[in-house]
Amino acid sequence: MCRQGSPGPSTPGRATLSPPDVAIPGSMWAPRNQLFTPRRTPGLQRLPYEIMAYIVKYLDIDEIFDLSLCCHHFQYLVREESFCKAIITAKASYTEEAREAERSGKFSRALRRVAKRHQALSQASPFLLGIVGLADSYTYIHGILCYIVESRPRRWLRILDLHASAGCELVIDIPTLIREAVPSSAKSRKYKFRVLYHANGITSCLFSFALPDTENWLLIFRADEQRIVAKVQLESTAKIFVRNNKDYLYFGTHSEEGADGFRKWVLTGFRINDSSWFPQKMHLTNLVGYDIGSTVCFEIVDDYFYGLSNQTDFEIRETNWTSYYHCFRFPLDDPDIKKTQVMDKTNGWRRQHAEGPIDDRWGFLKLERDQASGRLLIIESRKEWLTGHSGSRRTYYTTKVVFDPELEVSEEVDSNTEPSTADGNTGASTSTSTSTSTSNRATTITPTTTTTTNTTGRLSINPIGHLDKPATGVGRLRAAKNVHKGDDSSMASLFTRSQTHLRAYEPCCSTFMDLVDDPSIMSSSSRRLRLRTGYRRRKPFWYTEDDAEGSSYYEPNPEEELYQPNKIYFWPPEQNPSSRSPFLDKLYEILNPPGYLGSVDASSDERSVVYATGEDANGLKVLVYISFDPAARLAGMLREECILGERAAGDGYNPEARTCELTQHIGGYMPEGKGKEKVIGGHFRQALPLCLPDTPSMHTIMPPPDGNMPWAWSEKAMYQDLTGKNFTFAR
């Protein structure tokens, strides 16, 4: 049936279809008020695949994961393999998850695992907690736990790969090992043995005994092969350290007496493949500092040995000094001082004395690889009394390690990151004029001005983060992304240095983490250890017409304008006085084992925390393991309710909105029961069983050479005998 309608916007004289206002019996028409328009797909959901890929390019992994949770239409962002492979390659190619995905091809799983790990760490919501052993001493390196149990006359070294969720561990009989390595020590009943380093299956230990004179030996061995790789008698053990990869090993001591009366570092290298020592030693006469992890650090990355110091002079200067990082590297296969590269002062500028005094008790220094670019970063924490401020503040600084300035400048120009100065970081140029540009904007530094302009002549916020004015008159700029302000003096009265047993910073998720003693006024216990984290995020950027013209605006404190205030979380959460949770009491007992309330020795990395606490009548300490990796497992661990980090009050936080936040926290999954299926974005997944089965042994021990007694074997991990002490909070 056709009906002539009003011409309207259609072609004149052309008949159009229009339903009548009144229903006609037996007709195909319905009243206007009963018509239903097809539902249109709104907003971003209508965008094609290619446009979404372009948008995702400017988001980090955490933001991509949050976007995927907004609607089931966006689940392909974290589940489509080819899409996830591109994201992992661009934004997390130097993570353990990426290396595992290269082997398995499961890039979507790797992306979700990285995002959940970041969120778990930043919001203090670990996936696993447990007691993994009892030990006299321990070392935790790259996810490998090496701990010594002395039950005289037996003394055992146990090696457990926690990152690999191993159910078995290597056990080394120390007396048998040292009798084979140093036969002259057989008659010595008293000796000292400690682990220095473990990497690539190679363990390095310091062995000392007196018979009658004291001898110190460095023992290097592979336990899985029952092979002693090398042994060397040491002239000195002062500040001894070891670093190695699969091909080369270097150890150093702070033992050389300089002509100026100060001790210097000496390095000795070893080729693992042909078991030979390098003929010459490396004498680091210009490296100042002796406290590893505080004033100096050493690492092997790729094919280079790196050294770093945050000090520049052996003598203390009290007036008008400028501090620089001293960073060097040399190829592992050729430890020659002539082939050593040193980062210049332009790129290594650190701070100026006018910024205020430093409390060295809170500081730490480390070298870390950026998970996206692979570029090496200097991470330093300082507690400073900044000029113009009444109190102190803990601040976390990030500086790029640069050895080829021309290459770094070209990389910055080609990237889509915010404009920066010549080194892409501090802008610590000592020349008369230095400028770089990104797109149509540029940053200029001159001795007479510290303002930053773009090509339109207007002041720009992008490259300015933290402005310093050294006595030299040359402006020093720190990009806001490289300066993370932590606790100020208002928190000093809550957690003193003696109450803070771990201090760490993870740039992958802009998070600082502490292990603090936070006693409860409702408990009679003298100590209550809790995790405390703080993270920040960029504020949303609103595009305006001024931005299209290439202009922006200047603010006196750009970091506060670019970033949201820190969000502070504690874990485990506080008990509710009106309805106490028995399981929370159990978690607090694991973190604070009754009868083991002595000193605390903690270590951490980007995915876990391990600490030793207390000491029983036999001298044994409890080893507590906390993991933020959603793939972490311990054989026999128990599945329990989801315990998330508790947001600290303040900064506009509304505790009543916590329920809504928890339902969206880390994957939007909250257990409602045990053994039930959960639906996330249309995808089903099965909850973990109540107790995970034992895992098979991961170690194959080769027999010792003929005539030698076996000194290494594989057995069930000690934590499997500590029933009821390991829990997972998978979600």
Side-chain angles (χ1 to χ4, degrees):
M1 176 183 291
C2 294
R3 188 180 176 197
Q4 185 72 28
S6 59
S10 59
T11 307
R14 183 175 180 179
T16 58
L17 292 175
S18 177
D21 292 333
V22 181
I24 302 174
S27 71
M28 60 180 290
W29 301 112
R32 289 177 186 263
N33 59 0
Q34 296 183 15
L35 293 176
F36 295 95
T37 348
R39 194 173 181 181
R40 297 186 62 186
T41 304
L44 290 173
Q45 301 173 28
R46 302 174 56 193
L47 295 179
Y49 190 90
E50 293 78 12
I51 299 299
M52 284 301 297
Y54 187 78
I55 293 174
V56 164
K57 176 181 177 182
Y58 294 94
L59 304 178
D60 60 36
I61 284 186
D62 300 339
E63 293 167 334
I64 296 170
F65 187 72
D66 290 341
L67 178 59
S68 73
L69 300 177
C70 293
C71 175
H72 71 276
H73 288 281
F74 297 138
Q75 279 290 296
Y76 72 89
L77 295 175
V78 295
R79 296 190 180 275
E80 207 281 318
E81 291 296 338
S82 60
F83 201 94
C84 293
K85 181 177 181 180
I87 295 174
I88 287 292
T89 302
K91 302 178 183 295
S93 57
Y94 289 88
T95 60
E96 181 59 35
E97 291 87 350
R99 289 188 286 270
E100 182 180 312
E102 289 289 345
R103 297 189 295 266
S104 65
K106 298 179 180 179
F107 288 91
S108 61
R109 180 180 184 273
L111 190 150
R112 296 192 299 271
R113 184 179 169 188
V114 171
K116 289 183 178 183
R117 172 168 58 84
H118 287 180
Q119 292 187 10
L121 200 156
S122 61
Q123 299 180 23
S125 299
F127 283 92
L128 188 148
L129 169 67
I131 294 177
V132 292
L134 300 171
D136 290 270
S137 61
Y138 87 101
T139 303
Y140 188 58
I141 307 168
H142 305 313
I144 306 294
L145 177 64
C146 304
Y147 61 105
I148 295 176
V149 181
E150 298 189 17
S151 179
R152 296 176 177 84
R154 296 182 302 177
R155 304 178 77 176
W156 288 345
L157 165 64
R158 307 177 75 95
I159 301 176
L160 175 63
D161 190 347
L162 288 175
H163 280 185
S165 300
C168 294
E169 56 191 7
L170 287 170
V171 182
I172 294 93
D173 187 340
I174 296 176
T176 305
L177 169 67
I178 60 179
R179 279 197 300 269
E180 179 180 332
V182 187
S184 60
S185 67
K187 296 181 180 180
S188 177
R189 300 182 60 184
K190 294 184 178 181
Y191 58 87
K192 293 182 179 180
F193 187 92
R194 67 182 177 100
V195 178
L196 298 177
Y197 198 69
H198 180 95
N200 297 96
I202 299 173
T203 308
S204 302
C205 298
L206 176 63
F207 170 53
S208 304
F209 69 97
L211 194 68
D213 298 329
T214 301
E215 294 184 18
N216 299 297
W217 290 78
L218 176 64
L219 306 183
I220 306 167
F221 58 88
R222 290 194 64 106
D224 55 348
E225 299 178 1
Q226 298 201 72
R227 177 169 64 93
I228 297 176
V229 177
K231 57 183 179 181
V232 59
Q233 188 171 356
L234 303 171
E235 298 176 0
S236 171
T237 61
K239 302 292 181 179
I240 187 171
F241 72 91
V242 178
R243 300 291 184 269
N244 73 270
N245 61 11
K246 63 182 180 64
D247 298 317
Y248 297 93
L249 180 145
Y250 283 82
F251 76 88
T253 56
H254 193 244
S255 56
E256 184 179 77
E257 196 75 24
D260 53 4
F262 294 98
R263 284 193 173 188
K264 310 296 175 63
W265 289 95
V266 182
L267 298 180
T268 305
F270 177 74
R271 301 184 189 90
I272 296 176
N273 292 332
D274 59 3
S275 299
S276 62
W277 296 92
F278 285 101
Q280 71 278 11
K281 295 182 178 181
M282 287 283 289
H283 301 272
L284 309 180
T285 57
N286 295 324
L287 188 68
V288 184
Y290 61 87
D291 192 359
I292 296 178
S294 179
T295 58
V296 293
C297 69
F298 304 95
E299 294 294 341
I300 288 180
V301 181
D302 294 332
D303 298 325
Y304 288 90
F305 181 96
Y306 288 83
L308 171 68
S309 171
N310 57 13
Q311 300 184 357
T312 53
D313 203 323
F314 288 99
E315 298 184 3
I316 299 176
R317 297 188 180 186
E318 298 183 355
T319 58
N320 195 22
W321 54 266
T322 301
S323 176
Y324 301 91
Y325 291 113
H326 178 76
C327 186
F328 69 92
R329 71 176 184 181
F330 60 83
L332 294 175
D333 60 351
D334 193 2
D336 188 347
I337 197 68
K338 297 180 180 178
K339 296 185 178 181
T340 300
Q341 294 176 284
V342 180
M343 188 166 71
D344 59 31
K345 291 185 176 181
T346 301
N347 300 308
W349 181 81
R350 177 175 173 254
R351 72 189 306 269
Q352 218 273 339
H353 82 102
E355 292 186 66
I358 301 175
D359 186 348
D360 292 328
R361 299 174 304 160
W362 291 85
F364 62 79
L365 180 71
K366 65 178 180 177
L367 285 167
E368 189 165 308
R369 200 170 202 168
D370 181 74
Q371 69 173 18
S373 65
R375 182 175 296 167
L376 208 58
L377 304 175
I378 299 172
I379 309 294
E380 184 181 15
S381 169
R382 301 196 291 266
K383 185 173 184 179
E384 303 164 303
W385 280 267
L386 297 174
T387 303
H389 294 75
S390 58
S392 60
R393 178 186 292 275
R394 292 167 64 189
T395 308
Y396 306 90
Y397 297 94
T398 303
T399 306
K400 295 175 184 175
V401 174
V402 180
F403 288 104
D404 189 350
E406 295 182 359
L407 176 61
E408 295 294 328
V409 170
S410 65
E411 289 180 356
E412 291 294 331
V413 172
D414 293 339
S415 67
N416 292 314
T417 57
E418 64 185 52
S420 181
T421 49
D423 66 340
N425 185 19
T426 62
S429 174
T430 56
S431 60
T432 305
S433 177
T434 304
S435 66
T436 62
S437 64
T438 302
S439 183
N440 62 337
R441 301 185 184 187
T443 301
T444 305
I445 303 175
T446 65
T448 57
T449 180
T450 58
T451 58
T452 304
T453 62
N454 52 39
T455 54
T456 64
R458 301 180 184 179
L459 292 171
S460 173
I461 189 176
N462 287 318
I464 302 179
H466 184 82
L467 184 60
D468 306 288
K469 296 179 180 180
T472 57
V474 182
R476 304 298 200 214
L477 300 178
R478 295 187 181 103
K481 65 180 181 180
N482 296 328
V483 181
H484 186 168
K485 294 181 179 179
D487 298 332
D488 56 19
S489 55
S490 63
M491 297 298 297
S493 59
L494 297 180
F495 302 108
T496 62
R497 177 62 184 86
S498 62
Q499 291 177 299
T500 308
H501 303 286
L502 172 70
R503 307 172 312 285
Y505 183 76
E506 299 302 333
C508 62
C509 51
S510 298
T511 300
F512 61 85
M513 177 174 60
D514 298 332
L515 180 66
V516 298
D517 183 2
D518 184 24
S520 173
I521 58 175
M522 302 177 59
S523 174
S524 59
S525 175
S526 60
R527 189 181 72 185
R528 186 180 67 161
L529 295 179
R530 302 174 79 193
L531 282 177
R532 178 177 179 272
T533 65
Y535 81 100
R536 66 175 184 176
R537 278 196 172 184
R538 288 285 297 256
K539 289 183 178 179
F541 175 76
W542 300 101
Y543 184 84
T544 64
E545 293 182 0
D546 289 339
D547 295 311
E549 297 174 2
S551 65
S552 186
Y553 58 92
Y554 172 82
E555 293 291 342
N557 196 339
E559 190 208 6
E560 295 181 359
E561 295 297 322
L562 289 176
Y563 289 93
Q564 301 174 4
N566 290 324
K567 295 182 180 180
I568 307 298
Y569 286 85
F570 286 88
W571 189 88
E574 291 279 4
Q575 279 279 20
N576 188 341
S578 59
S579 58
R580 294 184 65 87
S581 167
F583 183 61
L584 271 183
D585 287 335
K586 187 178 294 186
L587 293 186
Y588 277 114
E589 285 185 3
I590 294 177
L591 290 168
N592 308 272
Y596 291 86
L597 300 181
S599 61
V600 178
D601 180 17
S603 303
S604 71
D605 54 29
E606 76 283 359
R607 63 185 68 235
S608 58
V609 174
V610 171
Y611 66 89
T613 177
E615 197 170 288
D616 64 5
N618 298 319
L620 293 176
K621 301 177 181 179
V622 175
L623 299 178
V624 181
Y625 173 51
I626 305 171
S627 177
F628 303 96
D629 187 354
R633 298 288 184 268
L634 291 178
M637 67 182 181
L638 302 177
R639 171 68 185 276
E640 286 292 344
E641 57 187 287
C642 187
I643 304 295
L644 302 177
E646 179 182 49
R647 177 81 179 273
D651 297 330
Y653 170 61
N654 180 13
E656 296 180 357
R658 180 61 172 165
T659 303
C660 177
E661 180 183 351
L662 292 182
T663 59
Q664 300 175 357
H665 183 73
I666 310 184
Y669 171 70
M670 288 287 295
E672 300 173 355
K674 299 178 180 179
K676 297 180 180 179
E677 286 187 341
K678 312 300 174 187
V679 183
I680 301 179
H683 295 269
F684 289 87
R685 79 180 190 185
Q686 182 71 26
L688 288 174
L690 298 183
C691 180
L692 293 187
D694 294 347
T695 55
S697 173
M698 299 180 59
H699 305 293
T700 301
I701 308 298
M702 298 179 62
D706 294 339
N708 292 333
M709 293 182 60
W711 46 265
W713 61 90
S714 176
E715 67 178 39
K716 183 175 65 174
M718 182 187 293
Y719 70 77
Q720 295 196 45
D721 296 326
L722 306 174
T723 57
K725 299 297 184 182
N726 300 306
F727 297 95
T728 178
F729 316 108
R731 43 199 178 267

